[in-house]
Each structure stands twice: as structure tokens, then as C-alpha cells.
Amino acid sequence: MGIHSLLSLSVVLLSCVSPSETGPTPRVSFSLGSPGRLVTRFSSPDVSNTTTLLLSHDGDLLYVGARDAVLALDVSNEDAITLRSKLDWSPSEKDLEQCSMKGKKMSDCPNFIRVLQFLNSSHVYACGTFAFSPRCTYINSETLTMSLKPDEGRGRCPYDPYQRNTAIIVDGELYTGTVADYRGNRPVISRHLSEGRRVDLKLDDTLGWLEDPTFISSSFVPDEEKIYFFFSEVGREYDFIDKFIVSRVSQICMSDVGGQRTLQRRWTTFAKAQLLCQADNELPYNVIQDIDTLAPAEGAPADDTLFYGIFTSQWSVNSGRSAVCSFRLSDIKSVFSGNYKVLNRDTLQWSTRVQEKVANPGECGLHNASDNALRFVKENFLADDSVRPVGRTLTMVSAEHTYSHLSVQRVQAVNQRDYTVLFLLTESGYLHKAVLLQAGAHIVEEVQVFVQPQPVKSLKLSTAQGVIYVGTSEGVVRVPTANCSAYWTCPQCVLARDPFCGWDPNSRACVRVSNSKSSLVQDVDRGNVEEACSSVSLTHRARFSPNKLSAGELVSVSLNEVVRLQCPPSSRLSRQQWERPNSRLSSELYLHLEDGSLSFVATPTTLGHYLCLSTENGFQQTVAIYHVRQKSSNTAQSQPSSHPVTQAGARPGPRSKLSEGTSEESELGRTEPTQSSRDAQTPTPQQDRDPALWTQESGLRGTKLWEEGPLMSARGPSYLKELVVVSVLLLLCVSLLITVLLYTFRQRCRSRTAPQAGTPPRGRRTSMEQEALRGPCASKRNGKTPHSAQAGVLVSNGALTGSNGHLPNTPI
């Protein structure tokens, strides 16, 4: 069994294993238009597909390549983005008609600007698809007017607006990666706008240097004088049934001018290698989506340049998953200086064999080499080894989000250490800000930038202004990289673990980190609140004492009413817990809901105080305080037969702040859910910018609710004694009535059975007299009713007697 068969089998086996990693969860989430995370948006009815962005050197102007237009946006104002000038550049009616005759949709025939680069200090070079007939032109950056008539843009810009491309201008020369034909079958990496002794170059496509590539990005490394291209293509070195996609990095030297006889006007320094973004015992993330370059820190060598990329997998087992890998320039250089694979021209199979090196592929200065050396580099351009990620591990992986674009920035924190911050755009329309720590990636926040998924072609970061621009099909969105004012307390500022933000003890505010403020409180690595905020934070038990209970929300309810107390989570990483003073929340009386709220039926036992505690990273804080009491008689309202529900903290009701006594709804009661697709809810900063505000500040201002002790204040009025007294009195009355009736009946019986004067002796009565004296009762006992003529009754002294000397109906 060959190596390719083994690799195929391993892919099949690994595809049966479901991924176990879920990735980091965003700590807080801001929905679109949330007042706690303001974003600036530019849109216009006549402007669409603003997908190519170019930021000026001073950061005050943003050039936008849109459909049939090039815009110059003024972004110097923090509160708004305004249109300074606009250049209309659209195909003629004849061009559109020819595009339609070629079988293309009319919606794809406009001029989509796909190349926008600074040529020099006064001009911008722009290229567009122009009705499937690419055009390029020079634009004055000040007046936004064309300096020359547009010329042909084949090999510089794609024909199809949906095809990805990359372009970069270095020293006035344009380096591009795109397709050079109408059908998109001729991919090229070429150089244009060369002058003097230099000539335009492109790839030699006779040997298939590129196999159906998708160009992603390009980067210039000044110290190396090389251009690096990043793309994905079909890996012909793997013998699979299906096409196996691999991610590549390729290089060319800027000094390359082509060979004299062999490789004339062709690259002599082209080489490519595989980027392997793979963790142990997992399938590789083989399809690159986007990549950004992080320059080395000040004073570090150029070899420390890092390339951060987003990768996905082509297999269904990894559907919806994304991984971030970083690659070091020194590792890329090491792979290019190693061995190269050999292509068998007869079988078109790649193999690795030890061969004598006639030349080093990828080495600069080969334009003067011999024809034998140039033929060697022409056939040996695929490096044998793969470029492994830094640390041989994934920088970040997510099983929940699919990332499409990223930007990377290095930030210096209060402790003078550098931290890497990633800005990741999801396909669902959220921008994630993640800081890379030794323990793993930590997503500080997520910000919704658009509602419906839409094409995003550019993500531009301005480190000088501290903002990031997102180009979408509807307009341009500007998002500040820091949102320190959203954290109102020291614990929240520290728990955010945002290297941009630190707590200022003097102004008691979370502010942006700067070199002038070295006294800021911050703990990016651990987020330890107890140490960082030791001077201002309070312990949970101290806040729980009777005399230090902070102001809460008063909830007035009726007995037998269903009550629901809301508990706004301080973050999506926190855990909620309910407590009562000197009482236990039994499962028989209380129901803990999934959203963290508490539900119960209002009874004399359940009236009192309730505290919701939030625990995050070992720090516990009070986020909600409620005092549930029974409605007074003058304000009680009639209740329906079914149990009503009172939701404290969710809607207005007969409740007020205990500390003020006039407000009808507390701050903690104005929380709203933000995203039902996420499992946890996060309050918007305006409604509850920081629930921990109750823990430090209002806790010191709280009224003394428990002057008589926590237990006395926690209980409402009780009617148990009254119920017992009424029940006992009713029982006594019933017993007395029964006794009187029995006594009266007994007395009557005795009076009738007493012997009377004048009654003849029992032995002298005849049988007829005895039968008559028995009366009807005796006959009834025998089942017979005597006739009225036969039923005799004797009356003696006003008393009825039977023949036996007893009362009628009395047993003998």
C-alpha cells in the first residue's frame, strides 16, 4: 500500500470522528445598533458593492471601489462618514449589450472595482471587471479624476466579479494574482507597469505551475525583497479520487527579470509550498479563506514576521468550523531552501528523490544562470516539505462560527508586554475581537455589523485611528477597536481582559491604555479581580450582611401569584446563582429557569429578599437584588381565577427602588435579551452597562432594610394564627351544638319511659291491649303495617305507652 493510499484511508477514518473542540465563546455580545457599541455606517442609494477599500497614509480618507464608481470618503470625523467626491466609471450601453450576448447576467455586467492601490503620492491605480472586459486607469487622489484613458486590464483584474484576486504595488510596479482569460482557465501571477530595463513577467503555464487556484492575498517583505502570494489550489501531489484542495504560499523576487533564453519574460524565482494548518489527530483545515501579515516587533528581525490565516475544511465532518493558524517567515524560508518534489512528465505524478541540485529554486539572482540551471528550477518548483504552524498547533479553532476575513494587530498593555489581537468577521455578520493568551484565545466581544449575510471583500484596519473598516455590498461600516467605556466598574474592566483597556483609580473609569497613564489597573493574562481591584472591590459576604445590603428592586405581589425574578448575566462566561438570607431555596418551592431567572408562587413563606450572584473567573458579584412583599390592602387589585405571573426585572409593574422609593422600575429591571441564537443572553450596556455597579457603589449607598434582623424583614404578614383560631372556634361550636341536640333527645326519651300512676299491671293486660300498645313501630319491625282499626293506643296522663310499658318504637 502506497503513501497516498494510506493518506486516503486516514482521511476516511478521521472523517468519522466528530470534532470535540467548540472554541472560545464571546464574553459579551452587542446587537446591531446597540447604544453600548456605537458603529458608524455609510450607505447611499446609488452606491453598492463597496468591497474594495484603500486607506490613505494619514488615515483621514478612505478610497472605496464600488460598482461603477470610485469613492473618496472623509473618515476624519469620529461621529460620521461623509462622501467627499465620487468618480463614475461604468460601461457603455454597447459594452453591456456585448456582455449580455456572451451569456452573462446583466447583474454581473457592471464595472466592479477589484484593484485599488496607491501608485505614488498623487495617483491611485484602479482596475475593474468592466462588463467582462477588464479595464485599468490612473486616478488623481486629490480630485478623483482620471488622468489617462483607461487601458486593457487583462492579467491585472479578473473578468468575473465573483472571482477572487490579489494585487499589490511596490515601487510603482503592480504584482497581481488573477486569471488572464474570459473563461478563467489561465491563472497567472504577473508583474506590470515595469519601466527601463525591467520587463513585465508572468508564469510559465506549460507545466501547470498553478492548478485552478483561488487567490487570497499578497504581502511584501522589504528585508527579503520578495512578494509572497497566498492561495488555495488542487493538490496534484495527492492521489485522491476527489480533488484535494491544499493551501499554498509562493514567492517571487522583485529583482527577477526573466531568463535570457530559457524562461524569457517568465519568472525564474517562482516556488511554492503547502501551508499545513492541522492539529494532532484531526483532519487538516486545507482551504485558506483570508490571511494578514503581522510585522515583527520593534527591534526584532524580519524572520519574526508572522502570517495569520483563516482555514476551513472541504470535508463535511468539519462543516461550519474555522481554524486560525500562524506561520513564521523563518519557517517559510526554511522550507523553500530545502528539497523539492520531482514531476514525472509521463505519468504527471510527483515524487521525492534525492537528486543533485543544479540550482536552488526560489533563490534570487537566477536571471543570469545557465540554461541547465533554469530548466532545473522550471521543473522543480514545489517544495517537498510543508510549512507547519507556529508551535505545531492551531492558534484558534471554532466549531460554532465560520470566519471569512481577519485583521491582526499588536497591542502593548500596561505591563509593557505585547499582545496579539485578532479581528475576525463571521459569515453571520459578527465581528469578533480575540486576544491571544498563553492559555488560549479569549474573545473579548462580538459586534454585529450587518443582519443578512452578504459578500465581504475587504477588512481594513487603521491602527493609527484605532478603527476597523468593513466593506459590504450595502456600504461601509466603521467599528472602533476599543470599547472601554462599556465597563463601568473595576471588576468588569479587568474581567474583560482587553489589552486596549485599563481601570483608572483616579477617575474611577475604564479608559484606553496609553503611554501617559502607567497607573492603570489591568490583568490581561489572568483577569484576577481580587488582586487588581483590591482597593475598590467588596467581598460577597460583606455585601450580604444586614446593614450593608445594597439597594434593590421592590416587587409587590399578591398571594398565590406566580413570580419570576430576572437575573441579567454580567457576561456570557458567568454563572448565575440565587440566594436568600438565612433560607434555602428548595426545589419544591422554586424553579430555576435556563435563562438564569427564578420562578415561584408568592406565599407567606416565599416573601422576602432575593439576591442573584454572578461568578466569573473566580470572582463573585451581586447583579440583582429583589424584595418581594405582599401588596397592601389599598393597592391590591382583583386577581383572575388563573395564576397571574409577575416578572420582576422584565417589565414595568408595581415596584420601586428601595433606595429612592419613587422610581417605579429599577436599573436592574430594564434588561432585554440581545441574541436568541446564542445560548446565553447579555444585557445591552445602556440598559445595564455593568451590573457589577451594584456591587461596589450602590452597596455603600444601600438603605438599612434589616433594622430588625434579616429574618424579620424577609418575612411578610402571616395569618397562620388567625386560621388556627377560627378553625378551633368552629370546631367547638359544632361540638357544642351536637352535644345540646343529644342531651335534648335523651331527656325526651327518659320522660316517656318513666312509670305513670293508674297504669294497670302488666300481667293483667289482654293480648289485644298489648298489640295495641306496641303501636305501629312494632309492626314495622316485623315488616307489616297494621290497619288503623287494629292499632290501638292508650293515653294515660298525657303520655303514650305501649303494651310493654315503654315508649313506642323503643326496643324491649
Side-chain angles (χ1 to χ4, degrees), residues 192-208:
H192 305 272
L193 310 180
S194 299
E195 297 179 356
R197 295 181 300 172
R198 299 169 66 87
V199 295
D200 292 346
L201 299 178
K202 63 180 182 179
L203 291 179
D204 189 333
D205 53 4
T206 58
L207 288 179

Side-chain angles (χ1 to χ4, degrees), residues 173-176 188-192 194 198-205 209-210 225 227 229 250-259 262-271 362-363 366-367 374 377-378 381:
E173 294 178 315
L174 176 68
Y175 298 85
T176 64
V188 293
I189 293 178
S190 54
R191 182 176 67 196
H192 305 272
S194 299
R198 299 169 66 87
V199 295
D200 292 346
L201 299 178
K202 63 180 182 179
L203 291 179
D204 189 333
D205 53 4
W209 283 5
L210 297 174
E225 293 190 352
I227 307 292
F229 291 87
S250 66
Q251 66 164 26
I252 56 173
C253 295
M254 294 178 57
S255 60
D256 197 345
V257 294
T262 303
L263 294 178
Q264 288 185 4
R265 293 184 176 270
R266 300 293 188 268
W267 295 109
T268 62
T269 58
F270 174 80
E363 183 181 0
L366 291 177
H367 53 277
L374 292 179
V377 299
K378 178 181 177 179
F381 53 85

